[in-house]
Amino acid sequence: MNEAIQNAARLLDVSVESLLNFSQDTLNAMEAIVLMYDLKEEKTVMQAYKELDKLWQKEVLQDAMKDVATVIGFDYDYETLCSLDEQTQSHLMYAYLNDKSDVPTIYEIARKGVIKMELVHVADLIDVPLEQLQSLPEQQQENIYGTYLFHYETVNKDEEKLQKLIETLKKMVLT
């Protein structure tokens, strides 16, 4: 392992071996950070640490998503879980670490995270700010997303049916 990665491990207070499973992209980014900052200055050491820590946390979450994907089955694969926001991934990781056998809870966290992520597409379709959809009660968000998911693939090529779906979704947002 090169000296830059050894310095990164030292700054993060982790073993070099714990970094060996990280993706090459992450290792390259860590190396670049260490080489970019003057590690003799306290201020730049803290800046380097913050950037390294972000990379480390992201990589740990990504690794945890492999285990979570194995537990909850094929509905939410590794790629889907990795595309969720960091907060949802953290919740998934902690739920998994707390009780691997509590699949319903882990599955529910993933399901809600996917809905949260997919509301972006609904907002784009109906030309409503995402923040407006996110401010709705959770059950209403789920109903809107469910309607979108159920109908969009079958109507997206038929302009008349698509407009009807858009109207329906807009009404759901307003009620």
Side-chain angles (χ1 to χ4, degrees), residues 11-149:
L11 280 173
L12 290 167
D13 197 25
V14 298
S15 69
V16 173
E17 293 76 28
S18 70
L19 301 179
L20 295 179
N21 291 329
F22 284 11
S23 70
Q24 191 59 49
D25 288 343
T26 298
L27 292 173
N28 291 344
M30 287 180 157
E31 184 175 357
I33 290 167
V34 169
L35 295 173
M36 185 172 61
Y37 287 101
D38 178 7
L39 299 181
K40 294 179 177 115
E41 294 285 325
E42 186 176 337
K43 184 179 180 181
T44 56
V45 167
M46 287 308 298
Q47 290 172 327
Y49 171 78
K50 286 178 183 175
E51 290 186 39
L52 290 168
D53 188 54
K54 283 181 188 175
L55 289 171
W56 182 83
Q57 287 181 27
K58 180 181 178 190
E59 198 71 35
V60 167
L61 284 175
Q62 300 280 313
D63 189 52
M65 293 306 100
K66 291 175 189 171
D67 296 331
V68 172
T70 302
V71 167
I72 62 175
F74 88 165
D75 283 352
Y76 301 115
D77 61 10
Y78 172 70
E79 288 78 20
T80 301
L81 296 177
C82 287
S83 67
L84 298 173
D85 64 280
E86 189 175 318
Q87 181 182 14
T88 302
Q89 287 183 12
S90 293
H91 284 124
L92 283 166
M93 181 180 75
Y94 291 125
Y96 173 80
L97 293 174
N98 187 47
D99 185 359
K100 296 174 192 172
S101 67
D102 190 3
V103 176
T105 298
I106 297 169
Y107 186 89
E108 188 63 14
I109 294 168
R111 187 183 71 78
K112 288 179 180 180
V114 167
I115 290 170
K116 182 178 173 183
M117 177 180 69
E118 293 294 328
L119 280 177
V120 171
H121 302 298
V122 177
D124 287 344
L125 178 67
I126 64 175
D127 197 28
V128 169
L130 178 60
E131 296 78 22
Q132 183 179 351
L133 291 180
Q134 291 172 332
S135 70
L136 296 172
E138 193 173 282
Q139 187 60 53
Q140 192 173 356
Q141 290 179 33
E142 290 181 21
N143 292 343
I144 290 167
Y145 174 67
T147 300
Y148 167 81
L149 185 63

